[in-house]
Amino acid sequence: MSAGDTRLRIGFIPLCDATALIVAVDRGFAAAEGLDIELVREVSWSNVRDKLNIGLFDAAHLIAPVAIASSLGLGHVKVPIVAPFGLGLNGNAITVSPALYAAIAAVAEGNLVDPMVSARALARVVADRKATGEEPLIFGMTFPFSTHNYHLRFWMAAGGVDPDEDVRLVVLPPPYMVDSLANKHVDAFCVGAPWNSIAVDLGIGIILHFVSEVLVRAAEKVLGVRARWAEENPDVLARLVRAHRRAATFVEDHGNRDEVAAILAAPNRIGVTPEVIRRTLDGRMKIAPDGTVRTDEQYLLVGRNGAARPDPAQAAWLYAQMVRWGQAPLSAELLAAAKAVFRPDLFDAALTADDGKFSGQPADGIGAFAGPAFDANDIEGHLAAWTIKR
């Protein structure tokens, strides 16, 4: 580092969708842009949010709905956040205990790879448990304003399960999901990689669905900065975006995957075996303790297929879920503010090449397995399609 380098502190959670951030720092892409970055590993999203909001972090690996909720003043103080770079699309999975998997499989009508088949089977399991007086099933998710919460709810409700009445959803930090399943505190969870794979490798979990089977393209994590900081530091922000873009391009080159997995495996980064990380990056996932493998090229998109360029339609979908589940009122002003969190203009300004749409993108940008196509300008129409909502 040179004496003139800009020093930054950036918080992250040990998840595979922090890959571009970690590689940007540890592979030297940030240093090449004159950035001296200290990465701070955190456990919970509330920690990351709070430290970003009060200025202890200059930027953060941030779950996309947290950036929106903070900007709208939902559930906490209002601090406008902008996202000039998408750290990952997809990457979540729904993992269930062997006992719950067996119960779902026993009543499923069709192929369980189909999310509608599994959701309807879950509804039957829930009804049977109610009839026999058993406690509701407990599902872990990472935060009230989280993709994991919305992915679980979207999937369950499509099959007739009311996520607020029929089951219990509880908040757990990502690294604690596996222990909670092992200790039978939860029956299932939705979390990002690598924690689903860890549960499978330990023999205590079965991956029921990749989120890419529920939603073809789901904005997951973003590089978040305070809007005021972005306005005051446009040159630093552009350099940060460029460093991340170079890192994402490096990660998506299969010839670099072993090196990337080794970087991420470090104890102060994600801290799991390189082999588990490599599986995640390649979308070749062991889904059951018996070694069954399921492959999905869409499992986690770090930079390819337009994943790095923020898409305001994704922010609109997340806001629509906040409205659907009673976390936010519906208004044109809030919708506009939510969309304004995702900043493709800042991405474009920092880079000469536009990482825009790609062939094969869903017409609505989302590609949900159920319901009508999503119109980012018609949240009311989206909500009207669903019977289960708040």
Side-chain angles (χ1 to χ4, degrees):
M1 297 292 174
S2 68
D5 284 338
T6 302
R7 301 207 65 182
L8 300 174
R9 291 183 87 234
I10 301 181
F12 76 100
I13 298 275
L15 292 161
C16 288
D17 48 33
T19 292
L21 169 61
I22 294 169
V23 169
V25 175
D26 292 356
R27 194 58 174 62
F29 299 120
E33 290 284 348
L35 302 174
D36 177 1
I37 296 176
E38 177 192 356
L39 289 182
V40 182
R41 177 173 151 145
E42 289 286 350
V43 170
S44 73
W45 291 115
S46 55
N47 276 10
V48 173
R49 175 200 62 191
D50 294 347
K51 290 183 179 182
L52 177 65
N53 283 353
I54 64 177
L56 291 178
F57 292 152
D58 299 293
H61 165 232
L62 201 59
I63 196 164
V66 170
I68 296 167
S70 182
S71 297
L72 302 184
L74 303 175
H76 201 54
V77 295
K78 182 176 181 177
V79 179
I81 302 293
V82 296
F85 192 91
L87 289 172
L89 288 176
N90 304 337
N92 287 339
I94 298 169
T95 295
V96 300
S97 69
L100 179 54
Y101 183 85
I104 290 172
V107 296
E109 296 178 355
N111 189 340
L112 272 182
V113 175
D114 180 345
M116 188 60 83
V117 170
S118 63
R120 287 173 175 160
L122 177 66
R124 295 184 190 103
V125 172
V126 165
D128 289 345
R129 291 175 68 92
K130 273 188 178 178
T132 55
E134 292 180 77
E135 290 290 312
L137 293 166
I138 301 175
F139 286 75
M141 47 85 174
T142 68
F143 203 64
F145 297 100
S146 74
T147 49
H148 318 83
N149 184 20
Y150 307 140
H151 296 163
L152 278 173
R153 287 169 175 272
F154 189 88
W155 164 67
M156 288 178 182
V161 176
D162 188 320
D164 293 309
E165 302 290 337
D166 298 332
V167 298
R168 283 186 61 209
L169 298 182
V170 298
V171 172
L172 293 168
Y176 298 169
M177 291 285 186
V178 174
D179 286 342
S180 297
L181 191 64
N183 294 328
K184 295 183 168 48
H185 295 160
V186 297
D187 299 288
F189 57 67
C190 181
V191 73
W195 303 111
N196 300 283
S197 292
I198 299 299
V200 172
D201 287 350
L202 290 172
I204 60 168
I206 295 172
I207 296 177
L208 185 62
H209 289 298
F210 306 153
V211 75
S212 50
E213 296 160 356
V214 176
L215 303 162
V216 174
R217 283 173 73 85
E220 183 52 39
K221 304 301 189 307
V222 297
L223 179 69
V225 300
R226 295 182 304 284
R228 184 173 173 182
W229 186 93
E231 291 168 8
E232 294 172 349
N233 299 276
D235 174 64
V236 177
L237 185 64
R239 286 188 276 151
L240 194 57
V241 170
R242 284 196 296 270
H244 277 75
R245 187 68 191 124
R246 287 184 64 197
T249 301
F250 183 85
V251 170
E252 294 291 19
D253 182 335
H254 283 257
N256 299 326
R257 290 276 171 87
D258 284 341
E259 181 182 349
V260 170
I263 290 171
L264 298 177
N268 64 335
R269 297 307 186 225
I270 298 179
V272 300
T273 65
E275 187 262 337
V276 168
I277 293 168
R278 179 70 201 247
R279 271 190 257 158
T280 299
L281 296 175
D282 290 345
R284 184 173 172 78
M285 306 291 289
K286 187 168 83 173
I287 63 167
D290 67 4
T292 301
V293 169
R294 190 185 303 165
T295 301
D296 187 348
E297 292 182 356
Q298 296 280 112
Y299 180 74
L300 173 62
L301 306 179
V302 173
R304 68 189 184 279
N305 297 352
R309 187 174 188 263
D311 180 359
Q314 293 280 349
W317 190 86
L318 292 168
Y319 168 66
Q321 309 319 302
M322 295 174 184
V323 176
R324 180 180 179 181
W325 301 113
Q327 293 178 322
L330 175 62
S331 80
E333 293 76 20
L334 289 178
L335 172 60
K339 288 163 111 177
V341 172
F342 279 38
R343 295 290 297 274
D345 59 313
L346 294 176
F347 179 95
D348 293 345
L351 302 163
T352 52
D354 183 346
D355 186 26
K357 287 197 174 186
F358 71 100
S359 59
Q361 178 168 332
D364 64 357
I366 307 291
F369 81 97
F374 178 71
D375 181 346
N377 297 311
D378 183 17
I379 304 303
E380 278 189 278
H382 174 75
L383 298 174
W386 308 108
T387 53
I388 298 177
K389 55 195 170 190
R390 296 284 80 79

